Amino acid sequence: MTTWKLTSLVGLIGAFLPTYAAPVDSLRQTFLPLPSRIVTQAAENGTYIENIAVRSNGGLLVTLLQPSASVYAVEDPFSRSPSMSLVHTFEGANGLTGISETSPDTFVVAAARYPGLAAPYQNTSTLWELKLNNKGEEATVHKIVHIPEASLLNGIVTVPSYKAAVLVGDSVLGVVFRVDVTTGRYDVVLDIPELKPIVGGPIDLGVNGVKIRAGYLYWSNTDRASIYRFPIDMLGYPVQGAKVEQVAAIKNASGVDDFALDRQGNIWAATDFDNMLITIQKDGRETVVLGSPTELTVAGDTSVAFGRTPLDRHILYVTTSGAAAVPVNGTIIELGKIVAVDTRG
Ligand SMILES: *[C@@H]1O[C@H](CO)[C@@H](O)[C@H](O)[C@H]1NC(C)=O
Ligand SMILES: *[C@@H]1O[C@H](CO)[C@@H](O)[C@H](O)[C@H]1NC(C)=O
Ligand SMILES: *[C@@H]1O[C@H](CO)[C@@H](O)[C@H](O)[C@H]1NC(C)=O
Ligand SMILES: *[C@@H]1O[C@H](CO)[C@@H](O)[C@H](O)[C@H]1NC(C)=O
Protein backbone atom coordinates (compact mmCIF):
# COMPACT_ATOMS: atom_id res chain seq x y z
CA MET A 1 0.00 0.00 0.00
CA THR A 2 1.75 3.14 -1.21
CA THR A 3 -0.09 6.40 -1.15
CA TRP A 4 1.43 9.79 -1.66
CA LYS A 5 -0.32 12.16 0.64
CA LEU A 6 0.44 15.10 -1.63
CA THR A 7 1.00 15.09 -5.37
CA SER A 8 2.85 11.94 -6.28
CA LEU A 9 3.97 13.26 -9.64
CA VAL A 10 5.71 16.28 -8.22
CA GLY A 11 7.28 14.09 -5.56
CA LEU A 12 8.59 11.61 -8.11
CA ILE A 13 10.01 14.22 -10.47
CA GLY A 14 11.58 16.01 -7.54
CA ALA A 15 13.07 12.75 -6.40
CA PHE A 16 15.34 12.60 -9.43
CA LEU A 17 17.09 15.85 -8.62
CA PRO A 18 20.12 15.48 -6.37
CA THR A 19 18.96 17.64 -3.50
CA TYR A 20 19.50 17.71 0.20
CA ALA A 21 17.49 18.23 3.33
CA ALA A 22 16.16 21.77 3.36
CA PRO A 23 17.98 23.95 5.85
CA VAL A 24 15.42 24.12 8.61
CA ASP A 25 15.59 27.92 8.41
CA SER A 26 13.53 27.63 5.29
CA LEU A 27 10.90 25.55 7.07
CA ARG A 28 9.29 28.77 8.26
CA GLN A 29 8.47 29.50 4.64
CA THR A 30 7.58 25.87 3.98
CA PHE A 31 4.11 24.45 4.09
CA LEU A 32 3.69 22.28 7.13
CA PRO A 33 3.11 19.49 7.76
CA LEU A 34 5.86 18.17 5.50
CA PRO A 35 4.64 15.86 2.70
CA SER A 36 4.83 12.18 3.59
CA ARG A 37 3.83 8.79 2.25
CA ILE A 38 3.71 5.30 3.66
CA VAL A 39 6.60 3.32 2.14
CA THR A 40 5.29 0.04 3.45
CA GLN A 41 3.31 -1.28 6.37
CA ALA A 42 3.84 -4.59 8.14
CA ALA A 43 1.42 -7.43 7.48
CA GLU A 44 1.76 -9.26 10.78
CA ASN A 45 -0.32 -8.29 13.80
CA GLY A 46 1.54 -6.60 16.60
CA THR A 47 4.51 -5.55 14.47
CA TYR A 48 6.51 -2.96 16.40
CA ILE A 49 9.28 -1.53 14.22
CA GLU A 50 12.03 -0.24 16.46
CA ASN A 51 15.08 0.95 14.53
CA ILE A 52 16.45 1.57 11.05
CA ALA A 53 19.71 1.49 9.13
CA VAL A 54 20.11 2.57 5.51
CA ARG A 55 22.22 0.27 3.34
CA SER A 56 24.93 1.56 1.01
CA ASN A 57 22.72 0.48 -1.93
CA GLY A 58 19.87 2.66 -0.64
CA GLY A 59 17.81 -0.20 0.79
CA LEU A 60 16.45 -0.05 4.32
CA LEU A 61 16.94 -2.52 7.15
CA VAL A 62 14.58 -2.33 10.10
CA THR A 63 14.53 -4.18 13.40
CA LEU A 64 11.41 -5.39 15.21
CA LEU A 65 10.92 -5.16 18.95
CA GLN A 66 7.75 -7.25 18.62
CA PRO A 67 6.52 -9.88 17.84
CA SER A 68 9.88 -11.52 17.03
CA ALA A 69 13.60 -10.69 16.97
CA SER A 70 13.54 -10.09 13.22
CA VAL A 71 15.30 -7.87 10.72
CA TYR A 72 13.33 -6.91 7.61
CA ALA A 73 14.65 -5.33 4.42
CA VAL A 74 13.03 -2.88 2.03
CA GLU A 75 14.73 -2.71 -1.36
CA ASP A 76 14.35 0.50 -3.39
CA PRO A 77 12.27 2.34 -0.79
CA PHE A 78 11.75 5.21 -3.26
CA SER A 79 10.16 2.96 -5.88
CA ARG A 80 6.43 2.81 -6.42
CA SER A 81 5.48 -0.25 -4.37
CA PRO A 82 8.26 -1.35 -2.08
CA SER A 83 7.66 -4.27 0.25
CA MET A 84 9.21 -5.59 3.42
CA SER A 85 10.92 -8.97 3.29
CA LEU A 86 12.28 -10.99 6.18
CA VAL A 87 16.09 -11.09 6.34
CA HIS A 88 16.68 -12.98 9.58
CA THR A 89 15.11 -13.93 12.91
CA PHE A 90 17.58 -14.28 15.78
CA GLU A 91 17.42 -17.28 18.06
CA GLY A 92 17.28 -17.03 21.82
CA ALA A 93 15.62 -13.61 21.67
CA ASN A 94 12.17 -12.21 20.94
CA GLY A 95 13.00 -8.56 20.32
CA LEU A 96 15.61 -6.34 18.67
CA THR A 97 16.57 -2.74 19.30
CA GLY A 98 19.47 -0.84 17.69
CA ILE A 99 21.13 -1.53 14.34
CA SER A 100 24.25 0.13 12.90
CA GLU A 101 26.37 -0.44 9.77
CA THR A 102 30.04 -1.21 10.47
CA SER A 103 31.01 -1.76 6.81
CA PRO A 104 28.94 -2.01 3.62
CA ASP A 105 26.37 -4.79 4.12
CA THR A 106 27.62 -5.62 7.62
CA PHE A 107 25.58 -4.51 10.62
CA VAL A 108 25.57 -4.82 14.39
CA VAL A 109 22.20 -5.58 15.99
CA ALA A 110 21.14 -5.75 19.66
CA ALA A 111 18.87 -8.65 20.69
CA ALA A 112 17.28 -9.68 24.00
CA ARG A 113 14.38 -11.64 25.46
CA TYR A 114 11.51 -9.37 26.49
CA PRO A 115 8.66 -10.46 28.77
CA GLY A 116 6.87 -7.20 27.88
CA LEU A 117 7.62 -3.94 26.14
CA ALA A 118 11.00 -2.26 26.73
CA ALA A 119 12.12 -4.30 29.74
CA PRO A 120 14.14 -7.39 28.86
CA TYR A 121 14.96 -10.27 31.16
CA GLN A 122 18.29 -9.73 32.83
CA ASN A 123 21.24 -11.57 31.30
CA THR A 124 19.71 -11.92 27.82
CA SER A 125 21.28 -8.97 25.95
CA THR A 126 23.47 -9.93 23.02
CA LEU A 127 25.11 -8.10 20.15
CA TRP A 128 25.09 -9.88 16.80
CA GLU A 129 26.76 -9.22 13.48
CA LEU A 130 24.54 -9.55 10.42
CA LYS A 131 26.11 -9.74 6.95
CA LEU A 132 24.05 -9.47 3.79
CA ASN A 133 24.86 -10.41 0.25
CA ASN A 134 24.42 -7.64 -2.29
CA LYS A 135 20.74 -8.27 -2.92
CA GLY A 136 19.99 -8.82 0.74
CA GLU A 137 18.58 -12.27 0.01
CA GLU A 138 21.04 -14.13 2.16
CA ALA A 139 22.16 -13.22 5.62
CA THR A 140 24.82 -14.75 7.79
CA VAL A 141 25.02 -13.96 11.45
CA HIS A 142 27.47 -14.45 14.24
CA LYS A 143 27.32 -13.60 17.90
CA ILE A 144 29.72 -10.77 18.80
CA VAL A 145 29.18 -10.85 22.55
CA HIS A 146 26.64 -11.59 25.25
CA ILE A 147 26.66 -8.74 27.81
CA PRO A 148 25.31 -10.20 31.08
CA GLU A 149 25.32 -6.89 32.97
CA ALA A 150 23.38 -4.98 30.30
CA SER A 151 19.83 -4.02 31.22
CA LEU A 152 18.36 -2.59 28.01
CA LEU A 153 20.76 -2.09 25.11
CA ASN A 154 19.10 0.37 22.76
CA GLY A 155 20.75 2.71 20.22
CA ILE A 156 23.99 1.62 18.51
CA VAL A 157 26.43 3.80 16.57
CA THR A 158 29.61 2.83 14.75
CA VAL A 159 32.68 4.96 15.48
CA PRO A 160 33.30 6.50 12.02
CA SER A 161 37.08 6.79 12.47
CA TYR A 162 37.47 3.30 13.96
CA LYS A 163 34.81 1.04 12.55
CA ALA A 164 35.76 -1.96 14.66
CA ALA A 165 34.10 -0.19 17.59
CA VAL A 166 30.49 0.65 18.33
CA LEU A 167 28.99 2.70 21.15
CA VAL A 168 25.79 1.30 22.61
CA GLY A 169 23.43 3.11 24.97
CA ASP A 170 21.79 1.21 27.83
CA SER A 171 18.46 2.96 28.51
CA VAL A 172 17.91 1.47 31.97
CA LEU A 173 21.44 1.54 33.41
CA GLY A 174 21.97 4.94 31.80
CA VAL A 175 25.46 4.19 30.52
CA VAL A 176 27.27 3.88 27.20
CA PHE A 177 29.12 0.67 26.39
CA ARG A 178 32.00 0.66 23.91
CA VAL A 179 32.21 -2.70 22.17
CA ASP A 180 35.00 -3.93 19.92
CA VAL A 181 33.07 -5.92 17.34
CA THR A 182 36.08 -7.99 16.26
CA THR A 183 37.13 -9.17 19.73
CA GLY A 184 33.83 -8.80 21.62
CA ARG A 185 35.63 -6.85 24.33
CA TYR A 186 33.40 -4.28 25.99
CA ASP A 187 33.54 -1.59 28.69
CA VAL A 188 31.28 1.06 30.14
CA VAL A 189 32.95 4.23 28.85
CA LEU A 190 30.43 6.89 29.88
CA ASP A 191 28.30 6.93 33.03
CA ILE A 192 26.84 10.37 33.82
CA PRO A 193 23.44 11.64 35.07
CA GLU A 194 22.45 12.91 31.60
CA LEU A 195 22.31 9.29 30.39
CA LYS A 196 20.02 8.11 33.21
CA PRO A 197 16.27 7.69 33.29
CA ILE A 198 14.40 9.88 35.77
CA VAL A 199 13.48 7.83 38.84
CA GLY A 200 9.70 7.54 38.76
CA GLY A 201 9.86 9.31 35.38
CA PRO A 202 7.50 8.96 32.44
CA ILE A 203 8.72 5.57 31.23
CA ASP A 204 12.01 4.90 32.97
CA LEU A 205 14.20 5.13 29.88
CA GLY A 206 17.29 7.33 29.69
CA VAL A 207 19.74 7.25 26.77
CA ASN A 208 17.95 6.01 23.64
CA GLY A 209 19.29 7.04 20.21
CA VAL A 210 23.05 7.56 19.79
CA LYS A 211 24.81 9.29 16.86
CA ILE A 212 28.34 10.52 16.19
CA ARG A 213 29.05 13.79 14.39
CA ALA A 214 32.32 15.76 14.16
CA GLY A 215 33.98 14.33 17.25
CA TYR A 216 30.89 14.28 19.46
CA LEU A 217 28.67 11.48 20.69
CA TYR A 218 25.08 12.77 20.63
CA TRP A 219 22.26 11.00 22.43
CA SER A 220 18.59 11.42 23.19
CA ASN A 221 17.36 10.86 26.73
CA THR A 222 13.74 9.71 26.61
CA ASP A 223 12.59 10.68 30.11
CA ARG A 224 14.36 14.04 29.95
CA ALA A 225 13.02 14.80 26.41
CA SER A 226 16.49 16.16 25.67
CA ILE A 227 19.49 15.70 23.41
CA TYR A 228 23.00 15.89 24.82
CA ARG A 229 26.53 15.55 23.45
CA PHE A 230 29.97 14.65 24.77
CA PRO A 231 33.32 14.85 22.92
CA ILE A 232 34.94 11.54 21.96
CA ASP A 233 38.36 10.65 20.52
CA MET A 234 39.17 8.86 17.25
CA LEU A 235 38.75 5.45 18.89
CA GLY A 236 35.36 6.34 20.34
CA TYR A 237 36.44 6.94 23.94
CA PRO A 238 34.98 9.96 25.74
CA VAL A 239 37.57 12.72 26.16
CA GLN A 240 38.86 12.71 29.74
CA GLY A 241 37.76 15.72 31.76
CA ALA A 242 35.38 17.00 29.06
CA LYS A 243 31.92 18.27 29.93
CA VAL A 244 28.50 17.17 28.74
CA GLU A 245 26.42 19.76 26.84
CA GLN A 246 22.67 19.87 26.51
CA VAL A 247 21.97 20.42 22.81
CA ALA A 248 18.17 20.54 22.92
CA ALA A 249 15.29 20.37 25.38
CA ILE A 250 12.11 19.42 23.57
CA LYS A 251 9.08 21.39 24.72
CA ASN A 252 6.30 20.02 22.52
CA ALA A 253 6.61 16.38 23.58
CA SER A 254 6.86 14.52 26.85
CA GLY A 255 9.67 12.27 25.63
CA VAL A 256 11.98 11.57 22.72
CA ASP A 257 12.95 8.33 21.00
CA ASP A 258 15.62 8.13 18.29
CA PHE A 259 16.79 11.09 16.18
CA ALA A 260 18.94 12.06 13.19
CA LEU A 261 21.21 15.00 12.42
CA ASP A 262 20.92 16.55 8.96
CA ARG A 263 23.81 18.01 6.97
CA GLN A 264 23.36 21.40 8.60
CA GLY A 265 23.40 19.88 12.07
CA ASN A 266 19.67 20.31 12.76
CA ILE A 267 18.00 17.58 14.81
CA TRP A 268 15.07 15.53 13.52
CA ALA A 269 13.50 13.76 16.49
CA ALA A 270 10.91 10.99 16.73
CA THR A 271 8.67 11.62 19.74
CA ASP A 272 7.14 8.12 19.85
CA PHE A 273 4.15 8.36 22.26
CA ASP A 274 3.40 11.93 21.16
CA ASN A 275 3.05 10.84 17.51
CA MET A 276 5.06 13.73 16.08
CA LEU A 277 8.23 14.43 14.14
CA ILE A 278 9.99 17.50 15.54
CA THR A 279 12.96 19.52 14.30
CA ILE A 280 15.26 21.49 16.55
CA GLN A 281 17.49 24.02 14.85
CA LYS A 282 20.95 24.88 16.06
CA ASP A 283 19.58 27.98 17.83
CA GLY A 284 17.15 25.76 19.76
CA ARG A 285 14.04 26.69 17.76
CA GLU A 286 11.63 23.81 17.73
CA THR A 287 9.07 22.98 15.04
CA VAL A 288 6.53 20.20 14.80
CA VAL A 289 6.92 19.22 11.15
CA LEU A 290 4.62 16.20 10.97
CA GLY A 291 1.95 14.44 13.02
CA SER A 292 0.11 15.34 16.20
CA PRO A 293 -0.96 13.43 19.31
CA THR A 294 -4.34 12.62 17.71
CA GLU A 295 -3.02 11.52 14.27
CA LEU A 296 -1.81 8.18 12.94
CA THR A 297 0.57 9.75 10.37
CA VAL A 298 3.73 8.93 12.36
CA ALA A 299 2.04 7.47 15.44
CA GLY A 300 4.51 5.78 17.75
CA ASP A 301 7.51 6.99 15.70
CA THR A 302 10.55 5.12 16.99
CA SER A 303 13.48 6.08 14.75
CA VAL A 304 14.50 8.15 11.74
CA ALA A 305 17.22 8.01 9.07
CA PHE A 306 18.02 9.99 5.92
CA GLY A 307 18.27 8.24 2.55
CA ARG A 308 21.79 7.73 1.18
CA THR A 309 21.32 7.88 -2.59
CA PRO A 310 20.96 10.96 -4.84
CA LEU A 311 17.32 9.95 -5.26
CA ASP A 312 16.41 10.09 -1.61
CA ARG A 313 19.01 12.09 0.31
CA HIS A 314 16.31 14.60 1.19
CA ILE A 315 13.94 11.85 2.38
CA LEU A 316 13.74 11.05 6.06
CA TYR A 317 12.57 7.49 6.70
CA VAL A 318 10.54 7.17 9.90
CA THR A 319 9.74 3.84 11.55
CA THR A 320 6.74 3.37 13.80
CA SER A 321 5.46 0.99 16.46
CA GLY A 322 1.89 1.38 15.21
CA ALA A 323 1.02 3.27 18.41
CA ALA A 324 1.30 -0.06 20.20
CA ALA A 325 2.39 1.36 23.55
CA VAL A 326 0.05 4.35 23.72
CA PRO A 327 -2.94 4.02 21.36
CA VAL A 328 -4.06 7.17 19.55
CA ASN A 329 -7.16 8.67 21.22
CA GLY A 330 -6.92 5.88 23.76
CA THR A 331 -7.91 3.00 21.48
CA ILE A 332 -6.54 3.28 17.92
CA ILE A 333 -3.53 1.17 16.97
CA GLU A 334 -2.23 -0.03 13.61
CA LEU A 335 0.62 -2.18 12.32
CA GLY A 336 4.13 -0.73 12.39
CA LYS A 337 5.10 1.08 9.20
CA ILE A 338 7.84 3.02 7.45
CA VAL A 339 6.98 6.55 6.39
CA ALA A 340 8.99 8.63 3.89
CA VAL A 341 9.03 12.35 4.71
CA ASP A 342 10.12 14.87 2.10
CA THR A 343 12.25 17.24 4.19
CA ARG A 344 12.30 19.84 1.41
CA GLY A 345 8.63 20.52 2.11
C1 LIG B 1 -5.19 -8.89 14.17
O1 LIG B 1 -5.70 -8.48 15.43
C2 LIG B 1 -7.06 -8.03 15.36
C3 LIG B 1 -7.42 -7.47 16.73
O2 LIG B 1 -7.00 -8.30 17.77
C4 LIG B 1 -7.94 -9.20 14.92
O3 LIG B 1 -9.27 -8.76 14.82
C5 LIG B 1 -7.47 -9.70 13.55
O4 LIG B 1 -8.20 -10.83 13.18
C6 LIG B 1 -5.98 -10.04 13.59
N1 LIG B 1 -5.53 -10.34 12.23
C7 LIG B 1 -4.72 -11.35 11.95
C8 LIG B 1 -4.34 -11.50 10.50
O5 LIG B 1 -4.29 -12.11 12.79
C1 LIG C 1 23.77 -15.62 32.17
O1 LIG C 1 23.59 -16.29 30.94
C2 LIG C 1 24.65 -17.18 30.64
C3 LIG C 1 24.47 -17.66 29.20
O2 LIG C 1 23.11 -17.87 28.91
C4 LIG C 1 24.67 -18.29 31.65
O3 LIG C 1 25.74 -19.19 31.35
C5 LIG C 1 24.90 -17.69 33.03
O4 LIG C 1 24.82 -18.69 34.02
C6 LIG C 1 23.86 -16.60 33.32
N1 LIG C 1 24.21 -15.91 34.54
C7 LIG C 1 23.31 -15.65 35.49
C8 LIG C 1 23.82 -14.88 36.67
O5 LIG C 1 22.14 -15.99 35.41
C1 LIG D 1 6.19 23.83 19.71
O1 LIG D 1 5.91 23.65 18.33
C2 LIG D 1 5.31 24.78 17.73
C3 LIG D 1 4.81 24.36 16.36
O2 LIG D 1 5.84 23.87 15.56
C4 LIG D 1 6.32 25.90 17.71
O3 LIG D 1 5.76 27.05 17.08
C5 LIG D 1 6.67 26.23 19.15
O4 LIG D 1 7.68 27.23 19.17
C6 LIG D 1 7.15 25.01 19.89
N1 LIG D 1 7.21 25.31 21.31
C7 LIG D 1 8.36 25.56 21.94
C8 LIG D 1 8.21 25.92 23.37
O5 LIG D 1 9.45 25.44 21.40
C1 LIG E 1 -8.72 11.47 17.50
O1 LIG E 1 -9.72 12.37 17.97
C2 LIG E 1 -9.68 13.66 17.37
C3 LIG E 1 -10.69 14.54 18.08
O2 LIG E 1 -11.94 13.95 18.07
C4 LIG E 1 -9.95 13.52 15.88
O3 LIG E 1 -9.85 14.78 15.26
C5 LIG E 1 -8.90 12.59 15.27
O4 LIG E 1 -9.18 12.37 13.91
C6 LIG E 1 -8.89 11.25 16.00
N1 LIG E 1 -7.79 10.46 15.49
C7 LIG E 1 -7.95 9.33 14.77
C8 LIG E 1 -6.70 8.64 14.30
O5 LIG E 1 -9.03 8.86 14.49
Side-chain angles (χ1 to χ4, degrees):
M1 194 171 40
T2 303
T3 42
W4 282 94
K5 286 239 163 111
L6 294 185
T7 43
S8 63
L9 197 57
V10 172
L12 282 172
I13 293 167
F16 286 93
L17 302 169
T19 48
Y20 306 93
V24 187
D25 275 330
S26 68
L27 282 176
R28 303 271 146 187
Q29 289 83 51
T30 299
F31 292 108
L32 292 175
L34 292 177
S36 68
R37 71 182 167 101
I38 295 173
V39 174
T40 183
Q41 191 152 21
E44 190 179 353
N45 257 356
T47 300
Y48 185 121
I49 306 179
E50 166 63 15
N51 212 335
I52 185 167
V54 182
R55 295 180 64 189
S56 45
N57 72 2
L60 309 179
L61 282 184
V62 295
T63 60
L64 303 194
L65 185 56
Q66 292 180 336
S68 61
S70 299
V71 173
Y72 279 81
V74 179
E75 294 304 313
D76 297 331
F78 38 79
S79 68
R80 243 168 213 292
S81 49
S83 62
M84 267 172 59
S85 59
L86 179 65
V87 171
H88 187 76
T89 300
F90 289 89
E91 286 171 18
N94 64 358
L96 302 178
T97 49
I99 181 167
S100 179
E101 179 193 72
T102 46
S103 64
D105 293 332
T106 303
F107 298 84
V108 176
V109 179
R113 282 205 307 122
Y114 291 84
L117 200 57
Y121 289 109
Q122 292 303 304
N123 197 23
T124 65
S125 295
T126 301
L127 290 184
W128 291 86
E129 185 175 78
L130 173 83
K131 269 184 200 278
L132 299 177
N133 71 355
N134 184 41
K135 292 199 165 151
E137 288 153 347
E138 273 172 41
T140 53
V141 299
H142 94 264
K143 191 182 280 188
I144 297 169
V145 62
H146 167 71
I147 304 185
E149 52 275 67
S151 199
L152 174 48
L153 297 181
N154 200 331
I156 306 178
V157 62
T158 304
V159 178
S161 47
Y162 185 70
K163 293 193 169 187
V166 295
L167 300 180
V168 189
D170 187 313
S171 297
V172 172
L173 297 180
V175 300
V176 173
F177 288 95
R178 179 185 181 278
V179 183
D180 186 312
V181 299
T182 50
T183 63
R185 203 200 130 123
Y186 64 90
D187 297 291
V188 170
V189 293
L190 195 60
D191 183 354
I192 55 176
E194 290 78 4
L195 292 163
K196 309 282 175 201
I198 295 172
V199 178
I203 49 169
D204 297 328
L205 295 181
V207 56
N208 195 317
V210 287
K211 309 289 157 186
I212 293 173
R213 173 70 68 90
Y216 284 90
L217 173 69
Y218 287 77
W219 68 91
S220 54
N221 181 309
T222 298
D223 277 357
R224 292 166 199 266
S226 292
I227 313 277
Y228 300 91
R229 70 176 191 175
F230 199 98
I232 56 171
D233 67 19
M234 300 293 279
L235 297 176
Y237 289 100
V239 173
Q240 291 287 322
K243 286 208 170 76
V244 63
E245 284 173 64
Q246 186 175 36
V247 177
I250 294 168
K251 310 285 193 322
N252 274 296
S254 54
V256 58
D257 202 325
D258 206 351
F259 67 102
L261 293 160
D262 68 20
R263 279 154 198 271
Q264 292 81 29
N266 303 300
I267 291 163
W268 295 74
T271 64
D272 204 326
F273 314 117
D274 292 292
N275 310 331
M276 293 180 286
L277 178 67
I278 287 182
T279 59
I280 302 110
Q281 292 169 245
K282 282 174 145 176
D283 63 6
R285 268 187 298 168
E286 180 179 325
T287 311
V288 176
V289 292
L290 188 61
S292 81
T294 60
E295 277 174 58
L296 278 172
T297 320
V298 286
D301 46 341
T302 48
S303 68
V304 293
F306 281 99
R308 286 175 69 175
T309 76
L311 296 184
D312 67 350
R313 243 170 233 161
H314 60 288
I315 298 290
L316 187 72
Y317 294 103
V318 181
T319 60
T320 82
S321 67
V326 179
V328 173
N329 289 352
T331 54
I332 304 168
I333 59 166
E334 61 174 359
L335 303 177
K337 65 191 178 189
I338 304 171
V339 179
V341 180
D342 188 337
T343 60
R344 297 169 310 183

